[in-house]
């Protein structure tokens, strides 16, 4: 396995900061392995707990369906150019029952055949590019496709979570886990 960059370390449960160990044990139990990203983020117990909490809240309490939630995380990660998270959320999308064609379209940032999902993808990308300063017409268009203000705020929760993971992966060049290697991603040009 390659090593992370910029002096980062992929911690294991036994060598992680004490305050991160319980969270890492729960992650290991849930996934059956400890993802390299979590090993790196565990250096900061606050960042690890923030990521895990936001992830749980987004997946369990957002207004998005399970399919939409997985696609949101994949859309954000692909738009941010995060290969590690694209692989992880491609696997998550498969587990959620997203069809292979839709997953590949999101991975390659192509237009989606489902108009509502396309509106979600387009608005998410605009929100990232505008750093939140989207125009009223963009918000109105998003709301007119059947999404609500709650969805918009839930989308911000996902963006906060993915900022932690996408940026960590960019800075540390997190090595892809063997369990995710089949979902490795070559960024769309």
């Amino acid at each position: 396995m390659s090593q992370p960059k910029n002096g980062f370390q992929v911690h294991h449960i036994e060598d992680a900061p004490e305050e991160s160990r319980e969270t890492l044990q729960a992650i290991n139990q849930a996934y059956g392995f400890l993802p390299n990203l979590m090993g790196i983020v565990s250096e900061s117990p606050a960042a690890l707990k923030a990521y895990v909490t936001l992830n749980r809240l987004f997946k369990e309490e957002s207004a998005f369906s399970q399919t939409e939630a997985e696609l949101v995380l994949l859309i954000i990660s692909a738009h941010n150019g995060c290969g590690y998270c694209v692989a992880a959320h491609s696997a998550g999308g498969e587990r959620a029952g997203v069809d292979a064609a839709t997953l590949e379209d999101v991975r390659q940032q192509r237009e989606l055949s489902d108009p509502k999902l396309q509106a979600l993808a387009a608005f998410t990308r605009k929100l990232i590019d505008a750093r939140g300063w989207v125009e009223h017409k963009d918000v109105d268009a998003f709301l007119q496709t059947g999404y609500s203000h709650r969805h918009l705020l839930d989308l911000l929760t996902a963006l906060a979570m993915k900022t932690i993971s996408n940026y960590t992966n960019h800075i540390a060049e997190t090595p892809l886990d063997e369990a995710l290697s089949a979902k490795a991603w070559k960024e769309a040009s």
Side-chain angles (χ1 to χ4, degrees):
M1 172 177 78
S2 64
Q3 294 299 310
K5 304 294 187 247
N6 292 319
F8 283 93
Q9 175 183 348
V10 178
H11 288 286
H12 303 283
I13 294 168
E14 57 278 355
D15 70 1
E18 182 66 37
E19 303 92 333
S20 292
R21 291 180 187 171
E22 185 177 331
T23 304
L24 290 179
Q25 288 170 339
I27 292 167
N28 189 55
Q29 186 173 16
Y31 289 99
F33 72 101
L34 185 60
N36 289 334
L37 169 64
M38 297 296 102
I40 291 172
V41 173
S42 71
E43 182 71 31
S44 166
L48 179 65
K49 289 174 185 170
Y51 181 85
V52 169
T53 300
L54 288 169
N55 186 48
R56 182 186 57 75
L57 290 171
F58 178 69
K59 288 186 176 181
E60 294 177 7
E61 297 186 26
S62 81
F64 290 109
S65 69
Q66 185 179 6
T67 296
E68 290 169 326
E70 287 298 336
L71 287 176
V72 162
L73 300 175
L74 184 56
I75 291 162
I76 294 167
S77 297
H79 198 67
N80 282 336
C82 183
Y84 185 96
C85 287
V86 168
H89 295 302
S90 294
E94 273 186 1
R95 285 191 304 276
V98 180
D99 66 276
T102 299
L103 286 174
E104 192 57 26
D105 286 343
V106 172
R107 286 168 58 99
Q108 298 306 317
Q109 300 189 65
R110 296 187 294 240
E111 187 150 338
L112 303 177
S113 60
D114 180 296
K116 187 174 181 185
L117 292 178
Q118 175 54 33
L120 176 60
F123 183 73
T124 300
R125 292 176 187 131
K126 272 188 184 175
L127 196 56
I128 293 167
D129 291 343
R131 291 177 278 171
W133 294 103
V134 290
E135 296 182 29
H136 295 291
K137 68 181 175 93
D138 297 321
V139 173
D140 290 341
F142 177 71
L143 296 173
Q144 289 172 5
T145 62
Y147 291 109
S148 66
H149 288 102
R150 178 179 173 181
H151 286 103
L152 196 154
L153 294 169
D154 289 341
L155 183 55
L156 297 179
T157 302
L159 283 165
M161 177 183 71
K162 294 317 309 167
T163 297
I164 294 169
S165 61
N166 292 170
Y167 288 17
T168 296
N169 291 324
H170 294 171
I171 295 165
E173 296 181 30
T174 307
L176 191 61
D177 301 283
E178 182 63 34
L180 299 174
S181 64
K183 304 295 177 218
W185 178 65
K186 181 173 178 353
E187 188 173 355
S189 51

mmCIF file of all heavy atoms in Angstrom, residues 16-47:
data_model
loop_
_atom_site.group_PDB
_atom_site.id
_atom_site.type_symbol
_atom_site.label_atom_id
_atom_site.label_comp_id
_atom_site.label_asym_id
_atom_site.label_seq_id
_atom_site.Cartn_x
_atom_site.Cartn_y
_atom_site.Cartn_z
ATOM 1 N N ALA A 16 -3.837 5.025 17.216
ATOM 2 C CA ALA A 16 -4.556 6.292 17.037
ATOM 3 C C ALA A 16 -4.602 7.039 18.359
ATOM 4 O O ALA A 16 -4.440 6.441 19.432
ATOM 5 C CB ALA A 16 -5.979 6.016 16.555
ATOM 6 N N PRO A 17 -4.828 8.346 18.299
ATOM 7 C CA PRO A 17 -5.027 9.071 19.554
ATOM 8 C C PRO A 17 -6.136 8.408 20.374
ATOM 9 O O PRO A 17 -7.144 7.937 19.822
ATOM 10 C CB PRO A 17 -5.447 10.475 19.085
ATOM 11 C CG PRO A 17 -4.807 10.604 17.738
ATOM 12 C CD PRO A 17 -4.890 9.234 17.130
ATOM 13 N N GLU A 18 -5.926 8.341 21.665
ATOM 14 C CA GLU A 18 -6.857 7.660 22.568
ATOM 15 C C GLU A 18 -8.307 8.108 22.344
ATOM 16 O O GLU A 18 -9.220 7.286 22.333
ATOM 17 C CB GLU A 18 -6.444 7.923 24.027
ATOM 18 C CG GLU A 18 -7.315 7.222 25.053
ATOM 19 C CD GLU A 18 -7.211 5.702 25.017
ATOM 20 O OE1 GLU A 18 -6.105 5.175 24.780
ATOM 21 O OE2 GLU A 18 -8.244 5.036 25.211
ATOM 22 N N GLU A 19 -8.509 9.410 22.130
ATOM 23 C CA GLU A 19 -9.870 9.944 21.977
ATOM 24 C C GLU A 19 -10.552 9.471 20.697
ATOM 25 O O GLU A 19 -11.755 9.616 20.547
ATOM 26 C CB GLU A 19 -9.852 11.478 21.991
ATOM 27 C CG GLU A 19 -9.226 12.077 23.223
ATOM 28 C CD GLU A 19 -7.723 12.348 23.034
ATOM 29 O OE1 GLU A 19 -7.054 11.672 22.231
ATOM 30 O OE2 GLU A 19 -7.221 13.253 23.708
ATOM 31 N N SER A 20 -9.800 8.921 19.753
ATOM 32 C CA SER A 20 -10.367 8.447 18.484
ATOM 33 C C SER A 20 -10.635 6.949 18.475
ATOM 34 O O SER A 20 -11.335 6.458 17.581
ATOM 35 C CB SER A 20 -9.408 8.779 17.326
ATOM 36 O OG SER A 20 -9.332 10.166 17.124
ATOM 37 N N ARG A 21 -10.092 6.226 19.413
ATOM 38 C CA ARG A 21 -10.120 4.755 19.338
ATOM 39 C C ARG A 21 -11.525 4.159 19.378
ATOM 40 O O ARG A 21 -11.828 3.242 18.617
ATOM 41 C CB ARG A 21 -9.241 4.153 20.436
ATOM 42 C CG ARG A 21 -7.773 4.412 20.183
ATOM 43 C CD ARG A 21 -6.895 3.827 21.252
ATOM 44 N NE ARG A 21 -5.521 4.264 21.007
ATOM 45 C CZ ARG A 21 -4.533 4.070 21.850
ATOM 46 N NH1 ARG A 21 -4.752 3.420 22.991
ATOM 47 N NH2 ARG A 21 -3.323 4.514 21.564
ATOM 48 N N GLU A 22 -12.375 4.660 20.231
ATOM 49 C CA GLU A 22 -13.735 4.112 20.320
ATOM 50 C C GLU A 22 -14.480 4.317 18.997
ATOM 51 O O GLU A 22 -15.168 3.417 18.505
ATOM 52 C CB GLU A 22 -14.494 4.776 21.477
ATOM 53 C CG GLU A 22 -15.867 4.181 21.707
ATOM 54 C CD GLU A 22 -16.568 4.808 22.911
ATOM 55 O OE1 GLU A 22 -15.885 5.259 23.850
ATOM 56 O OE2 GLU A 22 -17.808 4.837 22.884
ATOM 57 N N THR A 23 -14.336 5.480 18.413
ATOM 58 C CA THR A 23 -14.981 5.766 17.127
ATOM 59 C C THR A 23 -14.419 4.866 16.036
ATOM 60 O O THR A 23 -15.172 4.310 15.226
ATOM 61 C CB THR A 23 -14.797 7.255 16.751
ATOM 62 O OG1 THR A 23 -15.303 8.072 17.813
ATOM 63 C CG2 THR A 23 -15.517 7.590 15.461
ATOM 64 N N LEU A 24 -13.104 4.679 16.026
ATOM 65 C CA LEU A 24 -12.490 3.799 15.026
ATOM 66 C C LEU A 24 -12.960 2.354 15.195
ATOM 67 O O LEU A 24 -13.177 1.651 14.195
ATOM 68 C CB LEU A 24 -10.965 3.872 15.113
ATOM 69 C CG LEU A 24 -10.325 5.163 14.651
ATOM 70 C CD1 LEU A 24 -8.811 5.092 14.827
ATOM 71 C CD2 LEU A 24 -10.688 5.500 13.211
ATOM 72 N N GLN A 25 -13.124 1.903 16.423
ATOM 73 C CA GLN A 25 -13.619 0.550 16.655
ATOM 74 C C GLN A 25 -15.027 0.384 16.087
ATOM 75 O O GLN A 25 -15.340 -0.634 15.460
ATOM 76 C CB GLN A 25 -13.592 0.207 18.148
ATOM 77 C CG GLN A 25 -12.187 -0.013 18.670
ATOM 78 C CD GLN A 25 -12.121 -0.126 20.188
ATOM 79 O OE1 GLN A 25 -12.996 0.319 20.908
ATOM 80 N NE2 GLN A 25 -11.033 -0.718 20.668
ATOM 81 N N ALA A 26 -15.871 1.390 16.274
ATOM 82 C CA ALA A 26 -17.236 1.338 15.740
ATOM 83 C C ALA A 26 -17.218 1.324 14.213
ATOM 84 O O ALA A 26 -17.992 0.590 13.582
ATOM 85 C CB ALA A 26 -18.047 2.521 16.266
ATOM 86 N N ILE A 27 -16.344 2.119 13.607
ATOM 87 C CA ILE A 27 -16.230 2.149 12.144
ATOM 88 C C ILE A 27 -15.753 0.794 11.633
ATOM 89 O O ILE A 27 -16.303 0.255 10.670
ATOM 90 C CB ILE A 27 -15.265 3.273 11.702
ATOM 91 C CG1 ILE A 27 -15.872 4.646 12.013
ATOM 92 C CG2 ILE A 27 -14.923 3.146 10.219
ATOM 93 C CD1 ILE A 27 -14.889 5.793 11.903
ATOM 94 N N ASN A 28 -14.741 0.250 12.270
ATOM 95 C CA ASN A 28 -14.202 -1.051 11.875
ATOM 96 C C ASN A 28 -15.282 -2.134 11.956
ATOM 97 O O ASN A 28 -15.398 -2.980 11.063
ATOM 98 C CB ASN A 28 -13.014 -1.408 12.757
ATOM 99 C CG ASN A 28 -12.279 -2.631 12.278
ATOM 100 O OD1 ASN A 28 -11.847 -2.697 11.129
ATOM 101 N ND2 ASN A 28 -12.131 -3.611 13.151
ATOM 102 N N GLN A 29 -16.069 -2.090 13.001
ATOM 103 C CA GLN A 29 -17.140 -3.069 13.166
ATOM 104 C C GLN A 29 -18.216 -2.886 12.089
ATOM 105 O O GLN A 29 -18.712 -3.863 11.533
ATOM 106 C CB GLN A 29 -17.760 -2.953 14.556
ATOM 107 C CG GLN A 29 -18.778 -4.017 14.862
ATOM 108 C CD GLN A 29 -19.233 -3.974 16.313
ATOM 109 O OE1 GLN A 29 -19.024 -2.995 17.023
ATOM 110 N NE2 GLN A 29 -19.872 -5.034 16.765
ATOM 111 N N ALA A 30 -18.561 -1.648 11.775
ATOM 112 C CA ALA A 30 -19.610 -1.381 10.791
ATOM 113 C C ALA A 30 -19.201 -1.779 9.378
ATOM 114 O O ALA A 30 -20.018 -2.300 8.611
ATOM 115 C CB ALA A 30 -19.991 0.094 10.825
ATOM 116 N N TYR A 31 -17.943 -1.537 8.998
ATOM 117 C CA TYR A 31 -17.486 -1.781 7.624
ATOM 118 C C TYR A 31 -16.741 -3.099 7.454
ATOM 119 O O TYR A 31 -16.503 -3.520 6.327
ATOM 120 C CB TYR A 31 -16.576 -0.634 7.156
ATOM 121 C CG TYR A 31 -17.317 0.658 6.911
ATOM 122 C CD1 TYR A 31 -17.336 1.658 7.871
ATOM 123 C CD2 TYR A 31 -17.994 0.883 5.725
ATOM 124 C CE1 TYR A 31 -18.011 2.841 7.661
ATOM 125 C CE2 TYR A 31 -18.679 2.062 5.489
ATOM 126 C CZ TYR A 31 -18.688 3.041 6.472
ATOM 127 O OH TYR A 31 -19.368 4.207 6.256
ATOM 128 N N GLY A 32 -16.317 -3.685 8.549
ATOM 129 C CA GLY A 32 -15.527 -4.905 8.450
ATOM 130 C C GLY A 32 -14.060 -4.632 8.181
ATOM 131 O O GLY A 32 -13.258 -5.551 8.039
ATOM 132 N N PHE A 33 -13.697 -3.377 8.087
ATOM 133 C CA PHE A 33 -12.307 -2.936 7.941
ATOM 134 C C PHE A 33 -12.263 -1.469 8.324
ATOM 135 O O PHE A 33 -13.306 -0.811 8.433
ATOM 136 C CB PHE A 33 -11.777 -3.164 6.507
ATOM 137 C CG PHE A 33 -12.342 -2.225 5.472
ATOM 138 C CD1 PHE A 33 -11.601 -1.134 5.021
ATOM 139 C CD2 PHE A 33 -13.598 -2.443 4.920
ATOM 140 C CE1 PHE A 33 -12.116 -0.271 4.053
ATOM 141 C CE2 PHE A 33 -14.112 -1.593 3.947
ATOM 142 C CZ PHE A 33 -13.373 -0.502 3.522
ATOM 143 N N LEU A 34 -11.069 -0.950 8.551
ATOM 144 C CA LEU A 34 -10.912 0.458 8.892
ATOM 145 C C LEU A 34 -10.439 1.204 7.649
ATOM 146 O O LEU A 34 -9.294 1.031 7.213
ATOM 147 C CB LEU A 34 -9.902 0.637 10.031
ATOM 148 C CG LEU A 34 -9.749 2.054 10.559
ATOM 149 C CD1 LEU A 34 -11.077 2.572 11.116
ATOM 150 C CD2 LEU A 34 -8.688 2.078 11.644
ATOM 151 N N PRO A 35 -11.321 1.998 7.024
ATOM 152 C CA PRO A 35 -10.917 2.735 5.825
ATOM 153 C C PRO A 35 -9.719 3.648 6.106
ATOM 154 O O PRO A 35 -9.624 4.265 7.173
ATOM 155 C CB PRO A 35 -12.164 3.551 5.473
ATOM 156 C CG PRO A 35 -13.301 2.796 6.087
ATOM 157 C CD PRO A 35 -12.730 2.223 7.363
ATOM 158 N N ASN A 36 -8.823 3.721 5.150
ATOM 159 C CA ASN A 36 -7.629 4.558 5.289
ATOM 160 C C ASN A 36 -7.981 6.004 5.620
ATOM 161 O O ASN A 36 -7.296 6.642 6.418
ATOM 162 C CB ASN A 36 -6.780 4.499 4.020
ATOM 163 C CG ASN A 36 -6.109 3.165 3.843
ATOM 164 O OD1 ASN A 36 -5.852 2.445 4.798
ATOM 165 N ND2 ASN A 36 -5.812 2.817 2.603
ATOM 166 N N LEU A 37 -9.036 6.525 5.020
ATOM 167 C CA LEU A 37 -9.453 7.894 5.317
ATOM 168 C C LEU A 37 -9.698 8.076 6.803
ATOM 169 O O LEU A 37 -9.237 9.039 7.417
ATOM 170 C CB LEU A 37 -10.712 8.269 4.529
ATOM 171 C CG LEU A 37 -11.380 9.575 4.952
ATOM 172 C CD1 LEU A 37 -10.462 10.771 4.706
ATOM 173 C CD2 LEU A 37 -12.705 9.751 4.252
ATOM 174 N N MET A 38 -10.408 7.136 7.411
ATOM 175 C CA MET A 38 -10.712 7.254 8.839
ATOM 176 C C MET A 38 -9.445 7.139 9.679
ATOM 177 O O MET A 38 -9.310 7.805 10.702
ATOM 178 C CB MET A 38 -11.726 6.192 9.265
ATOM 179 C CG MET A 38 -13.084 6.311 8.581
ATOM 180 S SD MET A 38 -13.975 7.839 8.961
ATOM 181 C CE MET A 38 -13.681 8.808 7.495
ATOM 182 N N GLY A 39 -8.504 6.314 9.226
ATOM 183 C CA GLY A 39 -7.225 6.208 9.913
ATOM 184 C C GLY A 39 -6.460 7.522 9.903
ATOM 185 O O GLY A 39 -5.797 7.881 10.877
ATOM 186 N N ILE A 40 -6.559 8.246 8.800
ATOM 187 C CA ILE A 40 -5.891 9.551 8.699
ATOM 188 C C ILE A 40 -6.632 10.601 9.520
ATOM 189 O O ILE A 40 -6.037 11.322 10.326
ATOM 190 C CB ILE A 40 -5.751 9.987 7.227
ATOM 191 C CG1 ILE A 40 -4.740 9.082 6.508
ATOM 192 C CG2 ILE A 40 -5.330 11.458 7.132
ATOM 193 C CD1 ILE A 40 -4.663 9.302 5.008
ATOM 194 N N VAL A 41 -7.944 10.674 9.345
ATOM 195 C CA VAL A 41 -8.735 11.697 10.041
ATOM 196 C C VAL A 41 -8.686 11.502 11.559
ATOM 197 O O VAL A 41 -8.811 12.464 12.316
ATOM 198 C CB VAL A 41 -10.195 11.705 9.519
ATOM 199 C CG1 VAL A 41 -11.075 12.638 10.335
ATOM 200 C CG2 VAL A 41 -10.236 12.128 8.055
ATOM 201 N N SER A 42 -8.433 10.273 12.013
ATOM 202 C CA SER A 42 -8.412 10.008 13.451
ATOM 203 C C SER A 42 -7.323 10.785 14.183
ATOM 204 O O SER A 42 -7.372 10.897 15.411
ATOM 205 C CB SER A 42 -8.247 8.511 13.719
ATOM 206 O OG SER A 42 -6.940 8.076 13.386
ATOM 207 N N GLU A 43 -6.368 11.320 13.447
ATOM 208 C CA GLU A 43 -5.338 12.179 14.060
ATOM 209 C C GLU A 43 -6.002 13.315 14.836
ATOM 210 O O GLU A 43 -5.486 13.773 15.850
ATOM 211 C CB GLU A 43 -4.416 12.741 12.973
ATOM 212 C CG GLU A 43 -3.298 13.606 13.484
ATOM 213 C CD GLU A 43 -2.229 12.812 14.225
ATOM 214 O OE1 GLU A 43 -2.001 11.627 13.895
ATOM 215 O OE2 GLU A 43 -1.610 13.393 15.137
ATOM 216 N N SER A 44 -7.160 13.764 14.337
ATOM 217 C CA SER A 44 -7.938 14.786 15.031
ATOM 218 C C SER A 44 -9.242 14.159 15.508
ATOM 219 O O SER A 44 -10.159 13.946 14.702
ATOM 220 C CB SER A 44 -8.260 15.956 14.088
ATOM 221 O OG SER A 44 -9.276 16.773 14.659
ATOM 222 N N PRO A 45 -9.359 13.867 16.794
ATOM 223 C CA PRO A 45 -10.618 13.313 17.288
ATOM 224 C C PRO A 45 -11.823 14.194 16.938
ATOM 225 O O PRO A 45 -12.898 13.676 16.629
ATOM 226 C CB PRO A 45 -10.406 13.225 18.798
ATOM 227 C CG PRO A 45 -8.917 13.066 18.946
ATOM 228 C CD PRO A 45 -8.346 13.938 17.845
ATOM 229 N N ALA A 46 -11.638 15.500 16.927
ATOM 230 C CA ALA A 46 -12.737 16.405 16.585
ATOM 231 C C ALA A 46 -13.165 16.213 15.129
ATOM 232 O O ALA A 46 -14.363 16.134 14.834
ATOM 233 C CB ALA A 46 -12.327 17.851 16.826
ATOM 234 N N ALA A 47 -12.198 16.144 14.209
ATOM 235 C CA ALA A 47 -12.527 15.960 12.793
ATOM 236 C C ALA A 47 -13.190 14.601 12.564
ATOM 237 O O ALA A 47 -14.159 14.487 11.808
ATOM 238 C CB ALA A 47 -11.278 16.097 11.932
#
